[in-house]
Amino acid sequence: MVQRFLIAAALSAAVALNMGQAYADQENTGTKADNTKTNKEMRNKQEVSADQQGNSEADRKMTQEIRRAIVKDKSLSSYGHNVKVITKDGKVTLKGPVRSAKEKQEIGRLAAKAAGKAKITNDLEVAENSNK
């Protein structure tokens, strides 16, 4: 019971910190830290989306390891921390906006390192209003 409480508290703290970064990004760039438009565009295409995440233990574990590596890297923007990681049948797809080509490359590297020999498809896009 205590362990569940500590996990919930840690997740709440992580969300609060991430929200703070999102507000800081908004203040620094004058734009919303929001990828709603990107999500709508993705929904209209026949592309891999988050609802296609594999439910096997191996797929879930791989997604968890990649997500952990991304969140742990404090050099990434809030955009970078919030990319979609979709694993199905051992194949990983990264989607969503990031702040720079360098950040896109770094997230791809982190995913490849965490996923081992799995195939990584890096479909991350550099956000239009990027200052970096």
Side-chain angles (χ1 to χ4, degrees), residues 49-106:
S49 59
D51 64 340
Q52 295 171 338
Q53 166 68 37
N55 201 28
S56 72
E57 184 176 343
D59 284 347
R60 290 191 321 265
K61 184 169 177 52
M62 187 174 302
T63 297
Q64 180 183 30
E65 291 299 319
I66 294 168
R67 169 73 45 216
R68 185 176 288 140
I70 291 170
V71 171
K72 187 177 178 180
D73 188 333
K74 300 303 179 196
S75 71
L76 300 175
S77 71
S78 60
Y79 276 33
H81 284 145
N82 289 304
V83 298
K84 293 171 183 66
V85 179
I86 306 148
T87 307
K88 182 152 180 131
D89 301 325
K91 297 175 184 167
V92 178
T93 303
L94 304 171
K95 297 191 83 64
V98 293
R99 288 287 186 199
S100 67
K102 181 180 176 184
E103 188 169 60
K104 175 181 177 175
Q105 182 179 6
E106 179 62 13

Side-chain angles (χ1 to χ4, degrees), residues 14-25:
V15 168
L17 287 172
N18 220 7
M19 289 302 294
Q21 180 64 45
Y23 290 124
D25 284 351

